[in-house]
Amino acid sequence: MTRSAAKIIREYGPFPAAGGVHGVAFDGEHVWFASGDRLNALDPESGKTVRSIDVAAHAGTAFDGRHLFQISEDRIQKIDPKTGRVLATIPAPGGGGDSGLAWAEGTLWVGQHRGRKIHQIDPETGAVLRTIESDRFVTGVTWIDGELWHGTWEGEESEVRQIDPRTGEVLERLDMPPGMGVTGLGADGGDQLFCGGGKSGKIRAVRRPKRAPARGSSARASVKPTGK
């Protein structure tokens, strides 16, 4: 396991219309972030919000290539980003204690905040396929280039960490500066991790460390459902 200070590339916000930033996801063009009663699309180049969808958005956000998924209290909503219409709803595995949300390998990955877990679930039914234990609160979840990352925030300490998706072993830790918590996590598919900043109303872009060719082979391996 390696540990280093998080390198913050850029800060976005605070956003006047957002009381806080919760879930974060990237759709290839915009960074979507949840702010309680709406989903907002941020242009990462200009730093401006370009549109919003009026929908309950209390925690994690994900994008599957066509649809947005949004945690709203004890359920996960599937949303058409073009129309803003809620297409389907499934139960969230944490029963209201859910945090991060990510899409990978045709499934959703859901953080359970104080339960210190990440669940892989069926996006059609909400059935739990497998569960990964963590030793820290889970405040955001994302996949990037075959790697599973999650945010943590306990007391005055917050970090972004890469874990092995099969064992939960911590492979990399990026320590956030004092006073900068992580409440949502997304990725651009390259070298940036987008971190929600909670009540600060900010989003921070953090540099993902470069990889040696042989590093992270277990994290890049295909993960098959193995049961809860």
Side-chain angles (χ1 to χ4, degrees), residues 30-224:
H30 300 115
V31 177
W32 288 88
F33 66 94
S35 61
D37 58 359
R38 65 175 60 88
L39 264 172
N40 311 274
L42 167 72
D43 179 349
E45 294 298 323
S46 69
K48 297 180 179 180
T49 52
V50 294
R51 62 173 296 216
S52 63
I53 297 173
D54 291 328
V55 65
H58 303 126
T61 310
F63 181 69
D64 71 353
R66 292 183 58 195
H67 304 102
L68 290 164
F69 291 84
Q70 177 60 52
I71 295 175
S72 172
E73 295 181 343
D74 62 352
R75 63 191 187 277
I76 299 172
Q77 302 177 102
K78 181 179 181 179
I79 301 165
D80 183 337
K82 295 180 180 178
T83 65
R85 189 163 66 93
V86 176
L87 304 176
T89 301
I90 58 174
D98 309 271
S99 50
L101 188 64
W103 176 270
E105 300 190 344
T107 59
L108 287 168
W109 297 70
V110 190
Q112 188 175 346
H113 182 202
R114 294 184 179 275
R116 304 185 182 195
K117 298 175 182 178
I118 299 173
H119 304 285
Q120 182 186 17
I121 70 170
D122 185 317
E124 298 296 326
T125 66
V128 175
L129 306 175
R130 64 192 303 267
T131 297
I132 302 170
E133 302 283 343
S134 176
D135 62 357
R136 299 276 289 175
F137 290 162
V138 178
T139 60
V141 180
T142 195
W143 279 84
I144 178 170
D145 193 25
E147 299 174 355
L148 176 59
W149 291 77
H150 81 82
T152 74
W153 188 4
E154 291 188 44
E156 299 301 316
E157 297 182 355
S158 187
E159 65 186 48
V160 183
R161 47 169 56 181
Q162 182 200 354
I163 63 172
D164 186 309
R166 295 180 296 188
T167 66
E169 176 190 356
V170 180
L171 304 176
E172 182 102 25
R173 295 172 63 178
L174 306 178
D175 294 318
M176 296 293 286
M180 293 188 183
V182 177
T183 56
L185 190 63
D188 69 350
D191 62 356
Q192 293 187 93
L193 297 162
F194 296 108
C195 303
K199 293 182 179 179
S200 72
K202 295 182 177 182
I203 296 172
R204 299 178 176 98
V206 171
R207 179 79 66 191
R208 182 175 66 114
K210 292 183 178 180
R211 295 285 174 254
R215 176 66 188 278
S217 58
S218 63
R220 294 171 187 275
S222 178
V223 180
K224 302 300 182 183

